[in-house]
Every structure is written in C-alpha cells, then in structure tokens.
Amino acid sequence: MNSAGILADAFERIHEAVHAAVEGVPPEDLNARLDEDANSIAWLVWHLARVQDDHVADAAESEQVWFAEDWASRFELPLEKDSTGYGHSSAQAASVRVASGDLLLGYFDAVHEQTLGFVRGLDGRALDRVVDDAWSPPVTLGVRLISVIADDLQHAGQAAFVRGALERRHRAEDPVRA
C-alpha cells in the first residue's frame, strides 16, 4: 500500500466512526451535553469536520466545502462564518445545535469526499511539502494530514462515548424506551 492508500484508509476509518456515532441518534441526544461544560455529539462532529475541511482545503489550495457548498447558511450557527470550533468557550460549543443527524452527516460526507479526492492523488514526495512555516520546525503536508487524522479520530471517539453514555442513561431512566 502506498502513502495515498494509507491516508485514504485512515480517513475512511474516521468516516465509519463518525457515522457510527451519529446515525439513528435523535436531535435531542445529538445536542445533549453530559454536563454543563461537556461537548455534544453535534459540536464534536461539526468541529472535526470543520477542522478537516479547513486544514485539507488549505493544504490542497482549494475552497473549503463549508463555503463552496454554503453549509455555513444551512447550519445557521450564531458564530463567525469561518469558525472551526478551535478555542471555543463552553457557551460557543453549546450554540452548535442541529435539527437532525442528516445535516451533520451531509456536511461531514461532503468534506470526506473532498479529502479523499485530494489524498488519493498524493505521492510520498508531496507529503514533504511545507504547508505552514509559522511553526518550528515548519509543518509538512504529511504532518498536517496525520494531525487531522489524530484529532478527528479523538473527536469521533468522544462522540461515540457521549452516544453510549446517553443510551445508558436512557435505559436507566426508561427500560422500555431502550
């Protein structure tokens, strides 16, 4: 397997994890927070998609899906249009709410397709290209993509945890509902 195949496989695993965390979850659970400062499934998935979209588009020198397909208007969030969730306060994270999992997965899937289109065309030499020289050492494309993969997998796992905790809570509250 070449480097493009490895990267595509990693992003496919993120795709599977995100869908497993979101599919079939009612909106009240997507937007629920386990405590007053915890992140919801909605915020976690929105954030991981926004970061992937932002970072991959920058590396690919293309427009973010968020803007190109007007997802910013579809989400109708009370945030700056270019917000990715990085550095959000608890109140800002709480403001990321969705009416359905379809909105989250629609945006995530669009980002996923753009990402796959980009990484499938890469070769090992491309991964050495510096994409951010504001750091010491400068960040290469390979390092940036691995960073996105690691961050996205962490947030997808957190979303799965929140889903499981909510499902257990519902079973304890109403065994018939579960």
Side-chain angles (χ1 to χ4, degrees), residues 49-121:
R50 285 294 297 125
V51 168
Q52 183 177 333
D53 192 8
D54 175 77
H55 287 26
V56 173
D58 182 60
E61 299 176 339
S62 63
E63 187 176 13
Q64 293 179 33
V65 171
W66 184 250
F67 298 111
E69 298 181 15
D70 202 27
W71 287 98
S73 293
R74 295 186 219 184
F75 272 78
E76 299 178 334
L77 299 176
L79 302 167
E80 296 292 325
K81 291 257 190 219
D82 62 348
S83 179
T84 63
Y86 181 76
H88 268 184
S89 68
S90 179
Q92 288 171 313
S95 76
V96 176
R97 301 182 59 78
V98 296
S100 76
D102 293 341
L103 182 67
L104 280 174
L105 293 177
Y107 174 55
F108 172 76
D109 287 347
V111 170
H112 177 70
E113 288 305 314
Q114 180 160 300
T115 297
L116 287 182
F118 175 63
V119 301
R120 285 184 174 143

Side-chain angles (χ1 to χ4, degrees), residues 130-139:
V130 172
V131 295
D132 188 348
D133 59 6
W135 298 89
S136 181
V139 177

Side-chain angles (χ1 to χ4, degrees), residues 113-176:
E113 288 305 314
Q114 180 160 300
T115 297
L116 287 182
F118 175 63
V119 301
R120 285 184 174 143
L122 296 175
D123 62 26
R125 292 180 311 277
L127 298 176
D128 292 331
R129 177 174 58 95
V130 172
V131 295
D132 188 348
D133 59 6
W135 298 89
S136 181
V139 177
T140 64
L141 176 58
V143 168
R144 176 61 44 88
L145 292 172
I146 294 301
S147 175
V148 170
I149 290 165
D151 188 63
D152 281 4
L153 283 172
Q154 287 182 21
H155 289 317
Q158 291 165 351
F161 173 83
V162 172
R163 179 182 181 153
L166 291 169
E167 288 172 349
R168 285 187 303 280
R169 182 183 292 174
H170 294 321
R171 279 194 301 275
E173 293 169 353
D174 184 3
V176 175

